[in-house]
Structures are given as structure tokens and as C-alpha cells.
Amino acid sequence: MLDSFFIELRRSPVLALAAALILAAIAIAVLAPVLAPKDPNLQNLRATLAPPSAGFPLGTDEYGRDLLSRMIFGMRNSLIVGAAVVLLSGLIGAVLGISAGYFGGWLDMVVMRLADIMMAFPYLVLALGLIAALGAGIPSTIVALTVAFAPIYVRIVRSKVLVVKEEAYVEAARLIGVRPRTIAVRHVLPNVAGPMLVQGALTFAFAVLAEASLSFVGLGVPPPAASFGNIIAAGRDHIIDAPWIATSSGVAIVALVLSLLILADGLRDAIDPYQHRL
Amino acid sequence: MNLRYFVERLGWAAFVLFGSTIVIFAILHVIPGDPARAMLGPEGTPEAVAKLREQLGLDDPLVHQYLLWLGRAIQGDLGRSILLSQSVASLLGERLPITLLLGLYALSFAVLIAIPVSVISATRRGTAIDYGGRFVALIGLAMPSFWLGLMLVLLFGVVLQWLPVFGYVSPRQSAVDHVRHMILPAAALGSAYAAMIMETTRNSLIEVLHQDYVRTARAGGLTETLLLYKYAMRNALIPTITVIGIQIGYLMSGALVVESVFAIPGMGRLLVNAVLSRDYPLVQGAMLVTVLVFSIANLCVDLLYAVIDPRVGKA
């Protein structure tokens, strides 16, 4: 699968650009303390709401904090939340989806009905309810979004498992007496890895958007820590006199999310190269 | 539509709704931490916490609390908001219609844009117009609705000064002002939704246009217009309705933030404020009403299937 992804990468310059942007975003997040020209929380009351200049490449906010530095740390927080949500909801999806799909029976019934009930909530409403109980903060944001996104994973993995478990090689393994848990891990899991990767890229994109939304209304990354969402929230109050505050962070989110959506598309093509191209 | 399908869908909606009441209750009562403590904040004295716990019935057994809450909720009593010291039901009654209107406008905006664009895209597949349309849709999907809202405010409110930028006017006060205030929020909320509808409709239309019955109709000499709108569209719209239905949840999530951008006093903003101030009765009530609206919307979509595609529910 990795091979065909590299083939896709060479074939599609758009996908290559998206992949490069994602790598750049990761590099920015990892190297944030080195890359940021200033301390993201350093206030400079003599340079509040300064437009972009040589000293402040993207301008400053109402406390005179350097926006470029805040955006670099905002990228870090976005990626931390996004990656954690993808890993945790993927793990939950794999464990529950494979168990429900492979073993069936009452376990399947309970897990799937639970997923149905969770999906009766608009995802941000469920996340808000959890944050109401847990209190705002990065860990709560991660927990809330994991709970909100995991049911989709469970459904996708389970539906794929239902197909895989009827395959001849799984049946053969069963006939020669391989233990069910070994079959689930060694034969079923690798076959659901592809769809999970695609879903992972999509979840990452939507988790970044959701984190930004929560931070925008003051329930995600708590200030003074920087996040694209709370930078834009600060920019809303100065949309007339300092429009650059809200603008640049929004452009960064769009670039990141767009790249992740394109990556998801590329991964889908790589998994299923014979799929009829629309 | 047959009765059995209808009853089945109704039963399913009731089951999901019942399950969601348990989730709502569990979220706010089972998670470690004392809601009374959380609501009063660091200034709450132990006496005040104890008093509030008693007032909220937090010392009773959980099952008892749940049944009491559910029983009252069914009768329309959702308790009192701590923040606004008003009945939760009457608060939601005031705010919900505003959010529903906003959602309806966003949905109409999305459908009105998405359907024509997807027809153009599908019939000119692989051309620059097709790629251009899809790329714009992808960007629409990647834009946070609240940020798009702010950019629309900047362009249409601040630079061009065509439209008001904040606030809400009830349609009873002035229909014209109501519409003028809702255009930008509806566009901000509806764009990502339009992108999802467009991608689905385009792909399903392309698939339908390749089917045998369409080829036969074309060979029989039907005009392309008649073929497209009378024969292909009806089948192509089934996946579209699925997306519209599933993504109503996305719309409702978006309303939470878009209302905050435009200072629209809807339910989304009420819920956000309730969470910010940890007004638990209000959070519970707003979540419950949201799920109720979402379930009804999904039920309508299920029934709409049966109307559009008579095969649904017959098997």
C-alpha cells in the first residue's frame, strides 16, 4: 500500500504539495520553540495591534504579542490535539470495531447500538457536553473530540471486518485452528489498516477544525496558550481596526485542513488503485 | 410508503432518543467531579456547595435522579437555568426557533448552490470548469465556518458596507432587516455543507449518467435536458438526500460557533454560554433539545427516501 501511495505521490503534483505542506506543519510544530522569533506570550504594550512589519512579520495582537510566534505555537497545539484524537479514536475504533465485527453476537449488538446513540449527537454538541463536565483545556478537548469521532471509526472498521472475515484465507486460518484473537490481530487488522488510514487523515482534518471551533468560543485551548481558534477569536474584536489578526490564522487552518483532505483522497486512491476514477 | 417502514423508523428514533438521554445524564453525573463544586467555582463555601447539591438533588441515588429528570423532561420541565435564573424550557423555546431559521437558511443556501454546480460539473466532467468547481468546494470544506463568517463580515460589512455585520432582527419586527442580518451567517454556515452536497451529487450524477437506462433513453432520442432532469436526477438525488440528512449534525455543530461570530441569540450561543458558566441544567436541556431536533430531522430524511424511491422499505 505504501508503494502505491508513492506512485500516487509522483503522479499527482497536488498530492505531493499537500504532503509537503503537512510535513512542513509537523516540522513547525516540533521545532516551534526554535522557529518562533519571539516568546508567544510576551506582551509589548508599546506595539499593540501593529500591522505586519519587519519586526513583526504578521503583526501583533491587542497585547502586542507577536502573531507569527503565536501561530507557530498554535500550529503545535492544533497538531497535538489532532494527532492525539486520531490515535485515540483510531485505537478505540480498531479494538471495538474488530471485536464487534469479528465476534458478532451480543458484543456487536451492544457496541453498535452505543455507536448509534453517540452519533445521534451533532459532534460538537457531544464534545461541549463533555467539556462542561471536564472543564476546558487541552486534555479535555482531546477526550471530548475522541469520544465524538470514535463512533465513526468503529462503524468503518466493523463494516470492513465483516467483509474480510468471509475471505478464504481467514476461513483457512480458522479451519487449521488458529486462535480467534490471533486471526483478528494477524489477518484482520492488516486488512482494515488501509481504510483506517484514510479515516485517520479525515479525522485529523475535522479534529483540527473542531479544536479551532472550540478554542474560538473559549472552550478549547485555554488562553494565554495560543491556538488558531483563540487567535481568530481575539481577531474578531478587532476585525475593523486590525483585520490581519483573524486573517492569517484562518489561512493557516485552511492550508492545513485542505492538505489533510487531499492526503485522505490520495490514500484512498492508493488503497484502491483500480477503483473507477470519477 | 408502507406503515411497517414508518413504524420501524419511528421506533428507531425513539430508541436512539432514549439512549441519548442516558448519555446526557451520564456525562454530567458520572464523570468524576462535583457539579455543584464546579458551578460555584473557587469561591463556593462548603455550605453553599452542600446547599446547591441538595437543591439539585445530587445526593439522591443516580437512578432516582435520572428517572426524576427524565420524567420531568417528558412533561416539558427541564429545570431552571442557574446563570439566567429562568426556566430552561422557556429559554430554549425562545432561542431554538432562531437557530432553526438559521439552519434552514444555510440548508437552502447550500442546496441552491450545490445542485446547479454539481450538474454543471458532472456534465462537463474533466474540464477546467469541473476541476475549478471541485477545488472551490474543497476549499469550502476546509474553511472553518466561523472564520469564513469573519471574512464575509470584513468584505461585505466593513469594506463594501452592503450588509449589517452583527446582531439579529426577528422576522416579525422587520422581514427585510431579518433577511439582511441572516445572509452572511447563512452563507458562512452553509458553505461547507454545500461542498459536501456538491461532491456527492456530482459523483452520483456521473454514475447515473453511465447507466444503461440513460443510454437507452438517449438512443431513443430524448433531449439531454429532459434526460438529465426527468430521468437521471431522480436517481442521482438519493445519495444527495443521505448527505443532507447525515450532515444536518454538521450544520448544528456549525451553528454553535457561527451564532457566536454574528452575535445571534440562538440556541448554539446559549449552549456555549451554558458550558462556559457550567450551568448544568441548561447544558442538559440544550443537549436534549438538540438531539431531539437532530432525530426528527433524520426521521424526516428516512421517510423522504421512501417517497423518492418507492423500493425503500418494501423489502
Side-chain angles (χ1 to χ4, degrees):
Chain A
M1 202 195 77
L2 214 54
D3 297 349
S4 45
F5 179 68
F6 283 118
I7 295 172
E8 287 292 327
L9 216 51
R10 243 169 287 156
R11 236 175 43 99
S12 160
V14 177
L15 179 60
L17 181 65
L21 278 175
I22 292 169
L23 288 179
I26 295 172
I28 289 172
V30 172
L31 300 174
V34 184
L35 286 175
K38 296 193 169 63
D39 175 350
N41 294 328
L42 180 72
Q43 302 189 2
N44 179 351
L45 297 177
R46 267 171 301 178
T48 57
L49 302 177
S53 64
F56 302 102
L58 293 174
T60 65
D61 66 6
E62 57 186 329
Y63 300 109
R65 295 177 296 195
D66 178 44
L67 275 175
L68 176 63
S69 307
R70 288 190 70 72
M71 278 177 60
I72 289 172
F73 277 88
M75 178 70 88
R76 182 179 230 198
N77 284 331
S78 269
L79 293 195
I80 288 174
V81 171
V85 169
V86 169
L87 289 176
L88 291 175
S89 56
L91 187 69
I92 294 173
V95 172
L96 290 183
I98 292 179
S99 318
Y102 190 75
F103 298 108
W106 64 268
L107 182 69
D108 185 34
M109 229 278 290
V110 171
V111 169
M112 292 324 289
R113 290 305 80 79
L114 203 60
D116 289 330
I117 290 168
M118 300 304 250
M119 287 175 84
F121 292 87
Y123 69 96
L124 266 189
V125 173
L126 187 58
L128 277 184
L130 285 159
I131 288 170
L134 298 168
I138 293 180
S140 328
T141 306
I142 293 172
V143 172
L145 294 179
T146 299
V147 174
F149 288 124
I152 310 171
Y153 257 114
V154 175
R155 265 197 193 174
I156 289 175
V157 172
R158 173 183 175 269
S159 67
K160 180 75 184 159
V161 170
L162 288 183
V163 177
V164 172
K165 89 173 184 187
E166 302 301 328
E167 301 274 1
Y169 59 85
V170 173
E171 194 141 340
R174 200 159 35 215
L175 284 176
I176 60 169
V178 181
R179 283 186 314 162
R181 200 183 302 167
T182 314
I183 299 181
V185 173
R186 200 166 296 162
H187 301 287
V188 178
L189 184 63
N191 284 292
V192 296
M196 281 188 64
L197 266 180
V198 176
Q199 188 56 32
L202 283 177
T203 304
F204 210 126
F206 288 114
V208 166
L209 284 175
E211 180 274 313
S213 297
L214 290 173
S215 300
F216 178 76
V217 296
L219 290 166
V221 176
S227 136
F228 290 138
N230 66 30
I231 295 173
I232 295 174
R236 171 186 47 185
D237 304 333
H238 296 281
I239 192 70
I240 296 172
D241 52 335
W244 56 85
I245 300 177
T247 313
S248 46
S249 282
V251 172
I253 299 184
V254 174
L256 177 60
V257 174
L258 195 61
S259 304
L260 287 163
L261 293 175
I262 292 170
L263 178 72
D265 239 26
L267 285 169
R268 192 178 296 135
D269 288 343
I271 289 168
D272 193 0
Y274 302 109
Q275 177 197 33
H276 177 62
R277 269 167 210 286
L278 290 169
Chain B
M1 192 194 316
N2 65 12
L3 188 67
R4 197 173 147 203
Y5 177 72
F6 180 77
V7 172
E8 230 176 70
R9 295 327 301 166
L10 202 64
W12 176 245
F15 165 76
V16 168
L17 207 56
F18 172 69
S20 66
T21 61
I22 298 178
V23 172
I24 293 172
F25 184 83
I27 284 177
L28 295 173
H29 288 83
V30 178
I31 286 179
D34 183 350
R37 173 97 255 161
M39 277 188 254
L40 291 170
E43 287 104 62
T45 58
E47 293 79 39
V49 170
K51 195 166 161 242
L52 187 62
R53 282 189 67 87
E54 202 198 316
Q55 208 181 328
L56 296 170
L58 291 173
D59 296 322
D60 298 338
L62 273 180
V63 177
H64 181 88
Q65 286 184 51
Y66 168 72
L67 290 176
L68 196 68
W69 173 68
L70 185 66
R72 285 184 181 156
I74 290 171
Q75 292 167 37
D77 174 10
L78 295 169
R80 289 182 71 78
S81 155
I82 294 159
L83 172 67
L84 299 160
S85 48
Q86 202 180 334
S87 118
V88 170
S90 76
L91 269 172
L92 294 175
E94 281 165 30
R95 307 295 189 92
L96 178 64
I98 299 175
T99 301
L100 289 181
L101 275 180
L102 174 62
L104 194 68
Y105 297 148
L107 192 145
S108 318
F109 169 87
V111 170
L112 284 177
I113 296 218
I115 304 284
V117 174
S118 40
V119 170
I120 295 172
S121 238
T123 48
R124 289 169 185 72
R125 183 180 158 198
T127 63
I129 296 178
D130 181 25
Y131 282 118
R134 293 178 75 193
F135 190 66
V136 172
L138 204 57
I139 290 183
L141 196 58
M143 266 192 286
S145 53
F146 60 90
W147 182 72
L148 175 61
L150 274 179
M151 294 299 109
L152 291 174
V153 163
L154 193 57
L155 179 62
F156 291 101
V158 179
V159 178
L160 297 171
Q161 306 208 331
W162 287 353
L163 290 166
V165 293
F166 297 117
Y168 175 77
V169 175
S170 129
R172 259 174 261 155
Q173 250 175 305
S174 156
V176 177
D177 274 347
H178 172 74
V179 172
R180 280 168 51 84
H181 277 88
M182 291 303 248
I183 291 177
L184 296 184
L189 183 56
S191 292
Y193 198 46
M196 297 176 197
I197 298 174
M198 199 215 119
E199 184 69 9
T200 306
T201 310
R202 172 192 172 273
N203 293 349
S204 92
L205 193 57
I206 287 175
E207 215 174 298
V208 169
L209 286 173
H210 276 91
Q211 278 175 14
D212 288 346
Y213 81 95
V214 173
R215 194 194 50 194
T216 309
R218 188 177 282 141
L222 274 188
T223 63
E224 283 296 315
T225 318
L226 196 62
L227 189 73
L228 191 64
Y229 292 103
K230 182 143 186 234
Y231 291 82
M233 257 323 211
R234 194 177 169 116
N235 282 327
L237 281 182
I238 293 172
T240 305
I241 290 171
T242 310
V243 168
I244 290 178
I246 293 175
Q247 302 301 357
I248 282 176
Y250 190 88
L251 207 59
M252 292 170 82
S253 295
L256 292 177
V257 250
V258 169
E259 286 178 1
S260 293
V261 176
F262 292 95
I264 295 172
M267 204 178 68
R269 204 156 147 243
L270 188 68
L271 175 57
V272 168
N273 287 336
V275 175
L276 280 167
S277 54
R278 299 203 145 184
D279 185 342
Y280 281 35
L282 191 52
V283 173
Q284 280 184 336
M287 286 180 79
L288 186 61
V289 170
T290 312
V291 179
L292 183 67
V293 171
F294 193 23
S295 303
I296 294 175
N298 279 329
L299 182 65
C300 293
V301 169
D302 281 344
L303 300 181
L304 197 60
Y305 276 136
V307 174
I308 290 197
D309 186 349
R311 286 169 303 183
V312 169
K314 288 278 163 64

